[in-house]
């Protein structure tokens, strides 16, 4: 009971700080006006357990004017990825998870916001392994490494291949992401500039 009491005090103190920091981080990830909150609901004594005497729940409002609701019930795939990214960025110093995988983190964003997402993912990659599935050149250019996933289908087979790209292949792939079917010298030059800027 003494340990549970200390845990409750620490949770109450930290929940407000963490909520405010994650809310701030969400603003830069194309979730302007979004809000994150941590609810601590005291449980009846019969439900106290090794995790303490309250239930912790993450609440979120992805858009201004919407009420806070449980994260797992209101966030879309893209919102969930970006909120997860905001949580990971804020808790990176304390987290012990060695590998983070992000999928759809760039859904519904582009331009400046995509670059911000890429920079935050790159920052996380300084301290742990980060794998990110992306279709945006702004995010791909900021990775430390670039893996290309391709799928070939035959009459009765499907084969998926993952290939690590060298610097030249990487420029070609980012250019393809930028320009589509026809790759011009200008598109290649832009891709090269994006990758070089990320590594500077």
């Amino acid at each position: 009971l003494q340990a549970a009491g200390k845990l409750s005090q620490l949770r109450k103190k930290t929940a407000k700080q963490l909520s405010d920091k994650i809310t701030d981080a969400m603003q830069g990830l194309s979730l302007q006006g979004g809000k994150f909150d941590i609810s601590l609901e005291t449980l009846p004594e019969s439900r106290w357990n090794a995790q303490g005497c309250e239930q912790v729940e993450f609440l979120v409002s992805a858009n201004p004017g919407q009420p806070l609701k449980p994260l797992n019930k209101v966030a879309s795939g893209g919102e969930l990825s970006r909120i997860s990214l905001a949580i990971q960025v804020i808790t990176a110093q304390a987290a012990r998870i060695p590998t983070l995988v992000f999928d759809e983190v760039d859904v519904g964003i582009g331009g400046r916001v995509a670059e911000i997402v890429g920079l935050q993912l790159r920052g996380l990659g300084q301290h742990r392994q980060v794998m990110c599935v992306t279709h945006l050149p702004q995010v791909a250019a900021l990775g430390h490494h670039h893996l290309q996933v391709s799928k070939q289908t035959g009459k009765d087979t499907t084969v998926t291949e993952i290939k690590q790209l060298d610097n030249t292949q990487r420029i070609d792939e980012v250019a393809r992401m930028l320009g589509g079917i026809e790759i011009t010298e200008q598109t290649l030059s832009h891709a090269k500039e994006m990758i070089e800027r990320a590594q500077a």
Side-chain angles (χ1 to χ4, degrees):
L1 286 174
Q2 286 179 337
K6 286 180 183 176
L7 178 61
S8 294
Q9 287 179 343
L10 286 169
R11 279 177 170 164
K12 285 172 187 168
K13 179 182 173 185
T14 308
K16 175 76 170 93
Q17 297 170 349
L18 189 58
S19 296
D20 290 345
K21 287 180 180 178
I22 292 170
T23 295
D24 287 345
M26 286 169 60
Q27 307 312 302
L29 295 172
S30 195
L31 293 166
Q32 292 91 345
K35 188 168 169 40
F36 185 90
D37 194 35
I38 300 172
S39 165
L40 301 173
E41 180 191 343
T42 304
L43 296 170
E45 192 171 338
S46 61
R47 291 184 56 202
W48 291 357
N49 57 46
Q51 281 75 47
C53 20
E54 60 265 315
Q55 179 173 318
V56 180
E57 187 170 38
F58 290 169
L59 304 174
V60 68
S61 168
N63 300 294
Q66 291 184 339
L68 288 162
K69 292 184 180 176
L71 177 60
N72 62 338
K73 292 184 179 165
V74 295
S76 68
E79 289 169 346
L80 192 58
S81 286
R82 279 177 274 157
I83 293 165
S84 175
L85 176 59
I87 293 168
Q88 291 300 335
V89 167
I90 299 305
T91 61
Q93 309 254 323
R96 297 180 190 156
I97 301 167
T99 303
L100 300 170
V101 180
F102 292 97
D103 189 11
E104 289 190 63
V105 75
D106 54 18
V107 168
I109 62 170
R112 184 185 68 82
V113 176
E115 191 169 352
I116 291 168
V117 167
L119 287 167
Q120 294 199 355
L121 289 165
R122 186 175 176 87
L124 278 177
Q126 302 291 341
H127 309 289
R128 57 187 46 81
Q129 183 182 46
V130 174
M131 298 187 77
C132 176
V133 178
T134 183
H135 298 284
L136 289 181
Q138 295 94 330
V139 175
L142 282 156
H144 292 98
H145 303 280
H146 194 143
L147 304 174
Q148 182 190 51
V149 181
S150 59
K151 183 171 71 171
Q152 288 85 34
T153 53
K155 186 178 178 185
D156 298 314
T157 60
T158 301
V159 177
T160 302
E161 181 185 23
I162 300 176
K163 179 171 78 171
Q164 182 163 353
L165 304 181
D166 63 25
N167 200 51
T168 303
Q169 293 169 323
R170 190 170 181 195
I171 291 168
D172 289 343
E173 180 63 11
V174 171
R176 186 193 63 74
M177 296 168 85
L178 278 167
I181 297 169
E182 187 179 342
I183 307 300
T184 65
E185 285 300 318
Q186 188 174 359
T187 311
L188 285 166
S189 176
H190 187 194
K192 184 178 180 187
E193 181 188 358
M194 288 173 72
I195 291 169
E196 285 175 351
R197 212 163 27 120
Q199 295 169 352

